[in-house]
C-alpha cells in the first residue's frame, strides 16, 4: 500500500515560481521504480509533466521542459516539483503518482493540489 500526501501549489502571476511536494508513506518505498507528476486542466486530458525513475532517469513533457524540475529525496521519502517561469496554460490540478513498475499510468496518486497562474 502506498499513500501519497501532497503540499504546495497556490496562485501566482505569470513568470512566477511555485513548489510542490509529495511525501510517500509506504513500507516499500525503496521498491518504487517510478514516480511522476501529472496535471489535469479543466476540460483537458491528464498529462504527465515529469517522471523520475529509481535509477535517477528523468523525463519531462515538452510543454514544461526547461521550466519544471522534478527531484526526489529518498532519505525523506519525498518527491518534489519546482515550477519556474509559470504560464497561464500551466493552470491545472497537479497530482503526484508512484508505482512499483514503470507503466504508462502509475497506480498510486496523491490527493491533488491546484496551481493557478494569472496573466
Amino acid at each position: 500500500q502506498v499513500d501519497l500526501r501532497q503540499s504546495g501549489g497556490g496562485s501566482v502571476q505569470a513568470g512566477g515560481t511555485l513548489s510542490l511536494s509529495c511525501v510517500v508513506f509506504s513500507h516499500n518505498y525503496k521498491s518504487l521504480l517510478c514516480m511522476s507528476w501529472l496535471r489535469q486542466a479543466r476540460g483537458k486530458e491528464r498529462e504527465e509533466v515529469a517522471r523520475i525513475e529509481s535509477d535517477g532517469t528523468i523525463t519531462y513533457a515538452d510543454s514544461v521542459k526547461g521550466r519544471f524540475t522534478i527531484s526526489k529525496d529518498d532519505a525523506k521519502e519525498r518527491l518534489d516539483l519546482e515550477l519556474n517561469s509559470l504560464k497561464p496554460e500551466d493552470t491545472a490540478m497537479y497530482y503526484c503518482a508512484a508505482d512499483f513498475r514503470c507503466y504508462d499510468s502509475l497506480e498510486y496518486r496523491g490527493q491533488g493540489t491546484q496551481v493557478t497562474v494569472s496573466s
Side-chain angles (χ1 to χ4, degrees):
Q1 185 65 28
V2 179
D3 185 17
L4 307 176
R5 300 183 189 175
Q6 298 178 221
S7 62
S11 298
V12 68
Q13 289 189 326
T17 297
L18 288 172
S19 297
L20 305 178
S21 289
C22 175
V23 177
V24 181
F25 293 88
S26 173
H27 293 298
N28 297 311
Y29 173 86
K30 293 183 179 179
S31 297
L32 291 167
L33 294 185
C34 271
M35 293 192 281
S36 70
W37 288 96
L38 316 170
R39 69 184 181 187
Q40 187 162 20
R42 190 174 301 176
K44 294 188 177 181
E45 292 188 357
R46 186 172 54 240
E47 173 188 26
E48 182 177 276
V49 298
R51 174 178 287 214
I52 185 166
E53 300 181 18
S54 57
D55 65 358
T57 300
I58 291 173
T59 55
Y60 294 102
D62 288 342
S63 57
V64 307
K65 200 171 293 183
R67 300 187 299 119
F68 290 10
T69 302
I70 189 172
S71 62
K72 62 186 179 80
D73 186 330
D74 290 337
K76 296 181 179 179
E77 299 186 356
R78 193 181 76 201
L79 178 71
D80 296 315
L81 186 70
E82 183 173 314
L83 301 77
N84 295 309
S85 302
L86 281 161
K87 304 175 181 180
E89 51 263 43
D90 295 318
T91 296
M93 186 70 77
Y94 284 71
Y95 301 88
C96 58
D99 207 325
F100 297 106
R101 297 290 186 269
C102 289
Y103 296 127
D104 287 346
S105 178
L106 305 184
E107 179 174 357
Y108 304 99
R109 292 181 189 166
Q111 79 275 20
T113 186
Q114 180 68 35
V115 169
T116 302
V117 185
S118 58
S119 57

